[in-house]
Amino acid sequence: MKRIAHAGVLSGMNPRRAFTLIELLVVIAIIAILAALLLPVLSHAKKRAKAIWCVSNLKQFGLAINLYGADNQENFPCSGYGWWQMPFIDFPNLIHSYVGTNSVNVYLCPLDTGRGFNYEFATMRGPTGPKTVNDIQVACSYYYYQPFYLDLASLKCVPQKFSLVHNPSQHTDLACFASSIARQFFFFENVPPYPNGAHGIKGINLLFVDGHAQFTSYGSCNPSSITTYGPYNYDWSPLTDQNVP
């Protein structure tokens, strides 16, 4: 009687076999190694993208400040009230109509893990005027410097002219004070700066009067002679002094 050959033998094909345990372990190990190599790169890229987003936010603020000035006799935003009400409460309200339709995302740096610098600072340090933390309507990561709404001679809160700035490309009016630690605030006006700055220990993102924004290292900021108000002169006197070389 003639034996009938198996179909697999006639076709020249080997029967399908499963992966062995060793082969599966090798594949898993390779995937784990690739993931370990790629995750830090992806994490850095994600943080870099958020830092660029922050710069974009600052540029929108720069445009809003210039639009505000065009409608207000070339003055910087000023409500007539001093610190802390002006930078924490009034500044976002004054420029809100100039920021644009995506205004909610503009006020918070995407690297900010807290509730915004103004809210965190006011919560931890407490208000110094008639307003309270509950009066803060917009959580904001960005800090608006005093000389742009405060007359340094009389210490009265009065609008300051754009024309007072001698070198607009070298003087900053807004800084990102986003914190990398939740429920804590970051403050640049200390030596050394608080270590929880969302942009790292080397510097922060700044908006300059001419409207451009960039990451600026701490080393490029000149010390201030008025240490009572901070060690960096762009904070207290950015209208007349050169700040960032």
Side-chain angles (χ1 to χ4, degrees), residues 71-92:
D71 289 340
N72 292 272
Q73 301 178 336
E74 298 301 315
N75 289 320
F76 288 98
C78 177
S79 65
Y81 295 96
W83 198 90
W84 62 279
Q85 180 176 335
M86 174 57 205
F88 287 4
I89 299 176
D90 297 341
F91 175 73

Side-chain angles (χ1 to χ4, degrees), residues 94-161:
L94 287 173
I95 66 169
H96 182 74
S97 60
Y98 300 100
V99 169
T101 56
N102 195 27
S103 59
V104 176
N105 294 328
V106 169
Y107 293 102
L108 281 176
C109 170
L111 289 172
D112 199 337
T113 59
R115 296 166 291 180
F117 168 72
N118 60 346
Y119 194 89
E120 298 291 4
F121 188 94
T123 300
M124 297 183 69
R125 291 289 183 90
T128 58
K131 297 289 185 177
T132 68
V133 176
N134 294 331
D135 293 304
I136 297 177
Q137 299 176 358
V138 180
C140 187
S141 304
Y142 305 98
Y143 183 64
Y144 182 53
Y145 284 113
Q146 294 187 50
F148 297 96
Y149 61 88
L150 183 69
D151 180 70
L152 300 181
S154 64
L155 297 183
K156 293 182 179 180
C157 296
V158 294
Q160 299 296 307
K161 294 286 186 183

Side-chain angles (χ1 to χ4, degrees), residues 23-39:
E23 289 172 332
L24 288 174
L25 291 176
V26 169
V27 171
I28 293 173
I30 293 173
I31 293 174
I33 292 172
L34 291 176
L37 293 174
L38 291 175
L39 284 178

